[in-house]
């Protein structure tokens, strides 16, 4: 498959995950416990997918370049910090607000990738990325009156995790260059587990969350693991500045399917305009 097919697959998996994530987060009594269970399942699923296509020994064929491990360590750290507080942000914020804040990560990754990899930023790419970002903000902005106050803590955590996500995305291309997409994906999930867990999560809370939501978290982990693997494959084949903004159309699709499936009928004209802007922006990126 080419990079565009992998990118579109990643978008579909992430969209399905976003539609379910808010429901699961709202039911959680311990967001970090939910996050750890989610990440454990994602790491296990990624390893199973890897073993279907590769030999186990390939996981231990270490690159000789020291910089490979520096980039991997930084990438795993940023993803671990993202996952550590992700469910807390999802619980504190409305889904539309959280997904809007996450677009800040796209900007972080887009600028960082352009500097780190010296990828050319053409006028068309700037126009395309700008249109997609505008469309995401339009699609997720809520103009309803008398709405509840937005959690300041949630906003701060949301901005923090979106920054960590963007920095992780920025390093993905370097990670796949040294390790390959499949190996790097396994490493990134496994390395993030202790970052999510420590300092220790209360084991009683962990047991309660597991018994309450393990099926939903397993399904979410599968969607996320596949989405991330497809994203890595796309980035290994094409410029990160092209793949990353396209993956962020996930937010737009989440809003659209929210209208159709979840019956979210507010601000429909605004969401349609956002969809058109996103399509035009994607055209400029391709």
């Amino acid at each position: 498959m080419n990079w565009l097919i992998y990118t579109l697959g990643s978008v579909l998996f992430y969209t399905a995950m976003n539609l379910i994530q808010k429901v699961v987060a709202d039911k959680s009594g311990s967001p970090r416990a939910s996050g750890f269970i989610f990440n454990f399942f994602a790491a296990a699923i990624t390893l199973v997918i890897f073993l279907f296509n590769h030999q186990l020994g390939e996981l231990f064929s270490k690159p000789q370049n020291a910089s490979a491990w520096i980039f991997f360590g930084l990438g795993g750290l940023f993803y671990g910090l993202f996952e550590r507080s992700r469910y807390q942000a999802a619980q504190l914020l409305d889904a539309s607000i959280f997904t809007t804040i996450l677009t800040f990560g796209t900007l972080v990754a887009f600028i960082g990738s352009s500097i780190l990899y010296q990828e050319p930023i053409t006028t068309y790419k700037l126009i395309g990325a700008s249109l997609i970002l505008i469309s995401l903000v339009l699609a997720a902005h809520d103009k309803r009156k008398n709405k509840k106050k937005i959690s300041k803590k949630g906003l701060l955590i949301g901005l923090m995790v979106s920054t960590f996500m963007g920095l992780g995305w920025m390093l993905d291309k370097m990670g796949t260059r040294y390790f390959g997409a499949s190996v790097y994906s396994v490493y990134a999930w496994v390395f993030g587990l202790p970052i999510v867990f420590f300092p220790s999560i209360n084991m009683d809370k962990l047991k309660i969350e597991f018994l309450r939501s393990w099926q939903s978290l397993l399904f979410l982990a599968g969607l996320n693991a596949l989405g991330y693997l497809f994203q890595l494959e796309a980035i290994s084949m094409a410029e990160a500045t092209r793949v990353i903004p396209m993956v962020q159309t996930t937010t737009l699709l989440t809003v659209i399917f929210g209208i159709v499936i979840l019956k979210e009928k507010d601000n429909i004209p605004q969401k349609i305009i956002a969809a058109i802007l996103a399509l035009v922006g994607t055209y400029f990126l391709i």
Side-chain angles (χ1 to χ4, degrees), residues 6-283:
Y6 277 118
T7 302
L8 294 176
S10 178
V11 168
L12 291 176
F13 286 128
Y14 282 147
T15 299
M17 183 193 68
N18 285 341
L19 290 170
I20 302 169
Q21 178 177 258
K22 175 62 177 174
V23 177
V24 175
D26 283 344
K27 294 179 180 179
S28 175
S30 175
R32 193 151 67 91
S34 296
F36 178 78
I37 297 167
F38 168 86
N39 276 262
F40 177 82
F41 282 144
I45 291 169
T46 304
L47 179 60
V48 169
I49 293 172
F50 176 86
L51 293 176
F52 267 111
N53 299 284
H54 303 272
Q55 297 294 322
L56 181 61
E58 294 181 41
L59 280 175
F60 306 101
S61 56
K62 303 174 182 179
Q64 299 301 312
N65 195 327
S67 60
W69 294 100
I70 294 174
F71 284 117
F72 160 70
L74 288 173
L77 174 64
F78 291 140
Y79 277 126
L81 292 172
F82 165 65
E83 294 291 350
R84 181 180 176 87
S85 300
R86 170 185 184 172
Y87 275 85
Q88 185 178 11
Q91 187 180 66
L92 290 170
L93 297 170
D94 290 342
S96 61
I97 296 173
F98 185 37
T99 51
T100 301
I101 292 173
L102 284 178
T103 62
F104 180 70
T106 308
L107 185 60
V108 172
F110 184 81
I111 295 173
S113 296
S114 300
I115 297 171
L116 183 62
Y117 307 118
Q118 298 182 338
E119 294 180 351
I121 300 180
T122 65
T123 301
Y124 284 115
K125 285 183 181 178
L126 287 174
I127 292 173
S130 299
L131 287 175
I132 288 176
L133 288 173
I134 292 170
S135 75
L136 296 174
V137 173
L138 276 175
H141 180 60
D142 189 353
K143 297 192 297 184
R144 291 175 295 178
K145 296 180 180 179
N146 301 320
K147 57 187 178 183
K148 63 182 180 181
K149 292 181 68 175
I150 299 173
S151 167
K152 292 182 180 180
K153 180 179 179 182
L155 288 174
L156 289 173
I157 295 174
L159 284 170
M160 180 183 69
V161 299
S162 67
T163 300
F164 289 139
M165 181 189 72
L167 291 171
W169 279 9
M170 177 188 73
L171 294 171
D172 279 347
K173 191 173 185 70
M174 195 66 74
T176 58
R177 183 179 297 172
Y178 284 117
F179 294 91
S182 298
V183 172
Y184 182 72
S185 179
V186 174
Y187 279 7
W189 282 112
V190 172
F191 187 82
L193 280 173
I195 298 173
V196 177
F197 187 82
F198 293 104
S200 181
I201 299 172
N202 184 285
M203 296 306 295
D204 289 334
K205 290 182 178 179
L206 194 63
K207 181 179 179 180
I208 290 171
E209 290 304 318
F210 181 84
L211 294 175
R212 176 190 300 170
S213 304
W214 73 267
Q215 298 99 328
S216 299
L217 290 169
L218 176 60
F219 184 59
L220 283 172
L223 292 173
N224 201 152
L226 288 170
Y228 181 53
L229 182 59
F230 273 46
Q231 178 181 318
L232 289 179
E233 292 286 358
I235 288 176
S236 69
M237 299 176 185
E239 297 167 355
T241 47
R242 177 172 290 187
V243 173
I244 290 172
M246 287 186 65
V247 169
Q248 280 303 290
T249 58
T250 296
T251 303
L252 177 67
L253 289 178
T254 300
V255 174
I256 292 174
F257 283 110
I259 295 172
V260 177
I261 299 173
L262 303 179
K263 309 301 181 184
E264 298 175 354
K265 301 296 184 181
D266 300 296
N267 306 326
I268 291 179
Q270 178 178 313
K271 292 171 182 176
I272 292 174
I273 293 172
I276 295 172
L277 288 176
L279 289 174
V280 175
T282 301
Y283 172 79

